[in-house]
């Protein structure tokens, strides 16, 4: 289904955040016979719904507006498990998303990147390296720019796509990229296997190439035998050999240190990006010098292992977007060999923290501070590990003060929560700002 297919039909846009607003304006431009916006989040009466939005679509909070539509365009934040979704399916009302409508018109010019971890860094690296070798592209998607707000005439698009956005696709991008696969957002998808199906829907509709991270066993076993699958971080593909980034033919491209991002997983993200460039026709061996310069000029993304200067000599790290224990293990590995205090905890979705315990079992001494709501449960899961000092603290500010007291000089204080921010914070940006404020407020005079 394309945007043009909505002309003359009754359309309901469900959700009024960034994605929903972009959908209302894009759908209105294609002239449906009847367009309405629906918001059931409790913000219905307080939303600033005015100007072009109000002119395009009246706003309501009624399910009946969805049920009466020929097509519902839902925002990615509307979970598959929402009761109204079940009702719409039962009634046979077609439900799509802005990303799916957009992909139907632009898939052949698109690189789509998803993964339980690493999709933001990998997609932005792809875009950055393409630019470095003279391949213009437009970057957007889940990173903050809705696809329906992107220009329609670009030669190449690079999109970061969430599991929510992937779930409704009926067209795969020309190049589909998968960085990792582990349990995440299970409450919104209805279970682990459904989450995997929704995520892998990115590659279900005939991409020309599937670039995947072969280090991730759960991902590799589901992808490697598919037509067009290309492994990165594998001896047969782009991979890391000691301190060097190596091409599939064994040529050393440049030192891993050219990429100013900590952690072996980020070197893996770089190898995935190089495989994508090759699939797009870039000779990465011949252009190794340009790619090295591109890697060196790449700037770390906010809230992902972002280091914060502190006069004490401690290194504070903001990895607030690590919302699963699997992501926290990668962050911990990035500071291997340094005295480390990790701050964990957030919204408690009942996640199993065994993977974190098993990871810490293999490491040297480490301090873990648990903050509400899931922090006490994480600390409890680490009981019996003699080399792990695990404590519960009252809140994030208390965790920063305690970390200053416990972390040796030259050490690292890492906020890598392994849980979402909502509940105690408005969103991840709010949690990040609170962390930075706590660091400033507790700094030595």
């Amino acid at each position: 289904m394309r945007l043009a297919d909505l002309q003359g039909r009754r359309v309901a846009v469900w959700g009024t955040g960034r994605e929903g607003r972009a959908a209302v304006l894009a759908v209105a431009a294609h002239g449906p016979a009847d367009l309405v916006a629906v918001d059931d989040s409790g913000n219905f009466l307080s939303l600033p719904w005015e100007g072009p939005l109000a002119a395009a679509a009246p706003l309501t909070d009624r399910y009946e507006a969805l049920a009466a539509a020929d097509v519902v365009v839902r925002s990615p934040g509307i979970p598959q498990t929402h009761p109204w979704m079940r009702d719409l399916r039962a009634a046979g009302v077609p439900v799509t998303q802005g990303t799916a409508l957009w992909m139907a018109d632009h898939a052949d010019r698109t690189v789509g990147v998803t993964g339980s971890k690493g999709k933001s860094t990998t997609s932005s690296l792809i875009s950055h390296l393409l630019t470095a070798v003279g391949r213009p592209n437009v970057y957007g998607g889940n990173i903050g720019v809705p696809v329906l707000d992107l220009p329609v005439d670009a030669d190449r698009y690079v999109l970061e796509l969430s599991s929510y956005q992937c779930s409704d696709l009926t067209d795969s991008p020309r190049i589909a990229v998968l960085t990792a696969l582990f349990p995440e957002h299970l409450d919104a998808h209805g279970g682990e296997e459904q989450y995997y199906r929704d995520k892998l829907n990115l590659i279900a509709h005939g991409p020309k190439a599937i670039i995947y991270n072969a280090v991730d066993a759960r991902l590799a076993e589901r992808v490697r035998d598919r037509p067009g699958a290309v492994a990165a971080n594998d001896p047969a593909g782009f991979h890391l050999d000691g301190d060097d980034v190596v091409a599939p033919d064994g040529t050393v491209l440049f030192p891993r240190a050219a990429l100013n991002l900590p952690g072996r997983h980020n070197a893996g993200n770089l190898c995935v990006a190089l495989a994508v460039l090759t699939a797009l026709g870039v000779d990465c061996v011949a252009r190794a010098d340009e790619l090295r310069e591109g890697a060196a000029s790449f700037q770390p993304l906010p809230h992902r292992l972002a280091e914060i200067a502190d006069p004490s000599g401690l290194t504070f790290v903001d990895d607030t977007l690590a919302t699963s224990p699997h992501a926290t293990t990668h962050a911990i590995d990035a500071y291997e060999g340094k005295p480390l205090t990790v701050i964990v905890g957030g919204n408690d979705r009942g996640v199993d923290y065994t993977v974190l315990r098993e990871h810490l079992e293999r490491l040297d001494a480490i301090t873990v501070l648990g903050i509400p709501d899931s922090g006490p449960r994480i600390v409890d899961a680490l009981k019996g590990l003699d080399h792990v000092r695990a404590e519960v603290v009252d809140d994030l500010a208390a965790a920063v003060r305690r970390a200053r007291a416990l972390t040796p000089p030259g050490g690292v204080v890492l906020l890598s929560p392994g849980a979402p921010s909502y509940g105690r914070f408005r969103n991840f940006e709010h949690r990040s700002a609170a962390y930075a404020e706590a660091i400033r407020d507790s700094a030595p005079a």
Side-chain angles (χ1 to χ4, degrees):
M1 185 184 297
R2 291 173 162 79
L3 276 167
D5 297 331
L6 301 180
Q7 187 171 3
R9 305 179 76 180
R10 292 174 299 174
V11 179
V13 173
W14 185 9
T16 54
R18 271 188 307 221
E19 294 271 355
R21 288 165 181 250
V24 164
L25 296 178
V27 171
H30 284 77
D34 184 15
L35 177 61
V36 64
V38 179
D39 186 293
D40 66 311
S41 67
N43 297 324
F44 169 63
L45 294 177
S46 60
L47 277 172
W49 196 258
E50 54 198 11
L53 291 168
L59 178 63
T60 180
D61 63 349
R62 306 290 293 176
Y63 168 75
E64 289 75 13
L66 300 175
D70 297 321
V71 178
V72 171
V73 181
R74 73 178 177 105
S75 295
I78 307 297
Q80 295 279 10
T81 53
H82 194 293
W84 288 1
M85 280 292 292
R86 294 194 291 269
D87 293 342
L88 291 170
R89 292 190 195 102
V93 178
V95 180
T96 186
Q97 276 189 61
T99 304
L101 294 167
W102 185 92
M103 195 72 75
D105 286 320
H106 300 90
D108 62 333
R109 291 177 281 160
T110 299
V111 177
V113 184
T114 197
S116 305
K117 172 71 176 175
K119 60 184 178 292
S120 298
T121 297
T122 302
S123 56
S124 54
L125 257 174
I126 292 167
S127 176
H128 183 80
L129 293 178
L130 282 171
T131 301
V133 296
R135 298 286 188 94
N137 63 94
V138 172
Y139 182 45
N142 190 58
I143 197 71
V145 182
V147 294
L148 291 174
D149 280 344
L150 298 177
V152 298
D153 55 353
D155 292 332
R156 178 78 58 222
Y157 299 91
V158 179
L159 303 183
E160 180 201 326
L161 299 172
S162 69
S163 55
Y164 311 124
Q165 291 168 315
C166 291
S167 64
D168 288 330
L169 294 179
T170 54
D171 300 88
S172 289
R174 175 185 173 188
I175 310 294
V177 186
L178 299 160
T179 62
L181 197 63
F182 53 75
E184 178 72 304
H185 306 303
L186 303 189
D187 51 343
H189 289 271
E192 184 171 342
E193 288 304 318
Q194 183 60 53
Y195 166 70
Y196 296 154
R197 283 195 295 272
D198 286 346
K199 201 75 158 167
L200 295 177
N201 191 47
L202 180 75
I203 61 174
H205 308 284
K208 288 188 169 61
I210 302 169
I211 312 300
Y212 71 96
N213 177 16
V215 169
D216 189 306
R218 187 182 285 109
L219 176 60
E221 71 182 14
R222 287 170 166 81
V223 173
R224 60 186 165 219
D225 295 329
R226 299 206 184 206
V230 176
N233 298 302
D234 179 88
F238 288 93
H239 63 281
L240 201 64
D241 185 0
D243 294 327
D244 293 317
V245 177
V246 179
D249 66 358
T251 302
V252 174
L253 297 182
F254 47 79
R256 181 264 178 266
L259 180 67
N260 185 31
L261 296 178
R264 190 174 184 86
H265 67 289
N266 277 321
N269 293 336
L270 174 60
C271 291
V272 171
L274 293 170
V276 172
L277 264 66
T278 299
L280 291 172
V282 176
D283 187 335
C284 291
V285 173
R287 310 194 72 167
D289 289 344
E290 294 164 89
L291 291 169
R292 177 183 51 78
E293 292 176 6
S297 63
F298 182 76
Q299 297 299 309
L301 299 178
H303 320 300
R304 299 165 180 85
L305 294 180
E307 297 186 353
I308 302 170
D310 188 74
S312 69
L314 295 175
T315 299
F316 286 86
V317 182
D318 175 9
D319 193 42
T320 192
L321 279 173
T323 58
S324 79
H326 295 79
T328 299
T329 64
H330 286 298
I332 289 169
D333 285 347
Y335 293 95
E336 183 179 2
K338 295 186 178 182
L340 181 62
T341 298
V342 186
I343 301 172
V344 296
N347 181 262
D348 194 344
R349 300 172 294 173
V351 171
D352 184 358
Y353 287 100
T354 302
V355 65
L356 181 58
R357 178 188 175 90
E358 291 175 346
H359 191 75
L360 295 183
E361 284 176 344
R362 302 190 292 268
L363 302 182
D364 295 329
I366 188 170
T367 298
V368 177
L369 301 176
I371 61 175
D373 295 315
S374 61
R377 198 161 61 81
I378 298 173
V379 168
D380 188 62
L382 302 179
K383 284 182 178 177
L385 298 181
D386 294 337
H387 64 290
V388 177
R389 178 171 187 160
E391 300 180 8
V392 175
V393 290
D394 290 338
D395 53 31
L396 184 53
V400 170
R401 293 192 298 270
R402 186 63 175 149
R404 286 193 182 278
L406 295 177
T407 310
V412 175
V413 179
L414 169 65
L415 172 63
S416 189
S421 56
Y422 48 83
R424 300 273 171 164
F425 300 96
R426 291 188 299 275
N427 47 40
F428 70 87
E429 292 99 339
H430 182 204
R431 178 163 63 184
S432 180
Y435 183 53
E437 182 179 5
I439 294 168
R440 290 192 301 270
D441 290 348
S442 63

